Amino acid sequence: MRIISNRTLKNFYDLNSEYRDSQDPLEAWYSETRKANWKTPQEIKAKFGSASILKDSRVVFNIAGNKYRLVVAIDYKRQVCFIKFVGTHKQYDLIDAETYDEYSTHKNRTGLRKQSP
């Protein structure tokens, strides 16, 4: 599986000292996913039982005992995994994982949920 992009994961833990504890778990996820040849969401669940399968080929992975969340979109046919979001569980609660794209080329991020007053 090709992952776009590993730099996103590295930036998350390298540029935010408070997230350094995510490095080993994110690198482990990257290593496992890189070796994967998933054809269906069920194959992902077989490897990562706590992953949540969403619509439109999106998957949410729990990282570091659910302290962090990783949202990806997977193109099973082309064997490409696109990182859409990486953040804390609290940050994840502020997005719509089915539409959010932190790395969109659009100026405004899409898929943000409105915060309650």
Side-chain angles (χ1 to χ4, degrees), residues 6-77:
N6 189 36
R7 170 137 338 259
T8 302
L9 302 178
K10 288 182 178 191
N11 284 346
F12 180 73
Y13 54 75
D14 281 344
L15 300 178
N16 302 292
S17 61
E18 63 191 290
Y19 306 144
R20 300 248 182 206
D21 63 331
S22 69
Q23 181 174 354
D24 288 343
L26 283 170
E27 287 179 355
W29 174 88
Y30 180 85
S31 178
E32 289 298 318
T33 301
R34 196 74 182 118
K35 293 183 259 180
N37 187 25
W38 297 316
K39 303 263 189 269
T40 66
Q42 293 75 22
E43 291 178 1
I44 295 172
K45 285 292 281 185
K47 180 66 181 172
F48 295 97
S50 65
S52 298
I53 307 300
L54 307 178
K55 66 180 182 176
D56 295 327
S57 299
R58 290 221 175 189
V59 182
V60 179
F61 292 94
N62 298 317
I63 305 294
N66 209 19
K67 182 175 182 182
Y68 301 101
R69 292 284 181 98
L70 176 64
V71 179
V72 302
I74 296 181
D75 182 330
Y76 295 98
K77 185 176 181 180

Side-chain angles (χ1 to χ4, degrees), residues 52-60 71-73 84-85 92 94-101 110-113:
S52 298
I53 307 300
L54 307 178
K55 66 180 182 176
D56 295 327
S57 299
R58 290 221 175 189
V59 182
V60 179
V71 179
V72 302
K84 299 298 184 180
F85 170 85
Y92 170 83
L94 299 175
I95 68 163
D96 179 349
E98 293 181 341
T99 60
Y100 188 80
D101 189 352
T110 58
L112 285 176
R113 289 186 182 154

